[in-house]
Amino acid sequence: METRILGRTGASVGVVGFGAWQIGADWSAVSEDDATAALEAAAAAGVTFYDTADVYGDGRSERFVGAFRKAHPGVFVATKMGRRAEQVHGNYSEANFLAWNDDSRERLGMATLDLVQLHCPPTSVYGDDAVFGVLDAMVAEGRIGHYGVSVETCEEALAAIARPGVATVQIILNPFRQKPLKRVLPAAADAGVGIIARVPLASGLLSGRYTAGTEFAADDHRNYNRRGDAFDVGETFAGVDYATGLEAVERLRPLVPEGMTMAQFALRWILDQPGVTVVIPGARNAEQAAANAAAAAFAPLDPDLHAAVRAVYDDLVRPQVHHRW
């Protein structure tokens, strides 16, 4: 698999990673056997970057990734912290950081975590020198190797990129969320900050497998968070109205080259964007993990296809999402 340098970490990682939210919670039930099989299939396909968070299943995802890492000690593990408390600025404190970090290190079985990301913190946190001073101290103490920020908006991404200690920025990027292309990706490239592209398949919409009649389980965020009742609505279907998303998918479907799935097409579109380091699709099973990794083997898409994807975005999706994030 092609590798790229993960920003200021200096680490070389495969361009398709593994997003471990699905094996934690909020995507209907995923068994331990299926979670383990998905992780192993990703490794067999050359995936070296694994992204998790302390709140995915209340530590369930971190425990799975930690057990997997024992058998694959060379992989790069990124986790997140910050969502275990009410989302107010004051909870982004040294005491909380140290406690959350201790818990993650225990679950992952790592004395020094490769990368810890603030998990979509309140916007005011980005301007707080003391918060980033604590993160710098945690690096100096050997608790974490590097730190980054997972963001909701482009303005938050730009604020994070301007911080000299921020190694990576994780942001939603897919054919339905194209705003980061204009300013965020160029700024990250200029600063040497890695870009981790999350929600790459718009919560599965861009797999092309869903219809108006598709039903999601009660414990699936694609059911309970469609209006942002639990967390930022942009994390569910990339913030696109479900019916509009289905219409856009049908416009994209004829563009998919022969031999590619629609999901692979969407992942390849992301990998083609200058400044992207790694994309982190989730997987519920081994088959999905292997298919996601295979997207890295395809050649870059033709410029005409990129123009056609942009046209679908401009016509259907831009009015709903571009001004929001």
Side-chain angles (χ1 to χ4, degrees):
M1 183 183 291
E2 178 191 353
T3 60
R4 296 176 185 174
I5 299 300
L6 185 63
R8 292 168 175 161
T9 72
S12 179
V13 299
V15 292
V16 175
F18 186 99
W21 184 13
Q22 284 188 356
I23 64 173
D26 303 313
W27 294 80
S28 302
V30 177
S31 70
E32 181 175 353
D33 286 346
D34 281 346
T36 301
L39 289 163
E40 290 292 344
V47 172
T48 60
F49 181 88
Y50 295 79
D51 179 85
T52 183
D54 58 359
V55 292
Y56 293 166
D58 192 24
R60 185 175 191 253
S61 176
E62 282 190 329
R63 287 190 288 270
F64 285 151
V65 172
F68 162 77
R69 183 185 170 277
K70 288 182 180 179
H72 304 273
V75 301
F76 191 101
V77 174
T79 192
K80 309 181 199 74
M81 67 178 183
R83 307 294 290 190
R84 286 193 167 275
E86 182 184 0
Q87 288 304 288
V88 295
H89 190 141
N91 282 333
Y92 282 72
S93 66
E94 180 178 21
N96 280 340
F97 281 11
L98 297 180
W100 296 333
N101 179 246
D102 284 342
D103 290 344
S104 288
R105 289 192 299 162
E106 181 179 358
R107 285 189 292 264
L108 289 165
M110 302 172 66
T112 301
L113 300 181
D114 294 332
L115 175 68
V116 172
Q117 303 155 95
L118 298 185
H119 200 168
C120 300
T123 302
S124 59
V125 168
Y126 294 84
D128 190 337
D129 292 343
V131 168
F132 291 91
V134 172
L135 292 170
D136 287 332
M138 292 172 72
V139 172
E141 292 169 15
R143 285 174 163 269
I144 60 179
H146 306 275
Y147 64 84
V149 186
S150 184
V151 307
E152 294 290 4
T153 72
C154 288
E155 291 304 319
E156 290 172 348
L158 293 169
I161 289 167
R163 289 274 175 187
V166 168
T168 62
V169 164
Q170 184 174 143
I171 192 168
I172 296 176
L173 178 67
N174 62 53
F176 291 169
R177 287 285 288 272
Q178 298 192 27
K179 188 175 180 178
L181 303 183
K182 184 173 182 180
R183 296 174 61 202
V184 173
L185 267 58
D190 288 345
V193 170
I195 289 290
I196 302 166
R198 78 172 187 278
V199 194
L201 301 180
S203 305
L205 264 178
L206 285 164
S207 71
R209 297 186 292 109
Y210 300 156
T211 69
T214 300
E215 296 184 359
F216 300 96
D219 62 349
D220 192 314
H221 74 99
R222 294 169 293 184
N223 180 327
Y224 66 76
N225 195 57
R226 289 196 183 194
R227 295 182 301 275
D229 293 334
F231 42 81
D232 193 289
V233 71
E235 304 289 344
T236 301
F237 300 131
V240 181
D241 170 75
Y242 187 66
T244 302
L246 291 177
E247 182 181 356
V249 164
E250 293 311 310
R251 288 269 301 272
L252 292 173
R253 198 182 298 277
L255 304 178
V256 179
E258 185 176 356
M260 296 179 79
T261 66
M262 179 167 281
Q264 290 168 338
F265 176 73
L267 294 174
R268 186 65 253 181
W269 179 91
I270 296 168
L271 293 177
D272 287 353
Q273 308 307 323
V276 169
T277 309
V278 57
V279 60
I280 50 170
R284 297 174 52 85
N285 53 51
E287 181 182 11
Q288 289 181 359
N292 289 339
F298 289 100
L301 301 176
D302 186 276
D304 290 342
L305 289 180
H306 279 283
V309 172
R310 167 66 72 158
V312 173
Y313 175 78
D314 288 343
D315 290 348
L316 293 175
V317 180
R318 176 188 284 268
Q320 289 191 17
V321 305
H322 202 85
H323 63 289
R324 300 187 66 183
W325 294 282

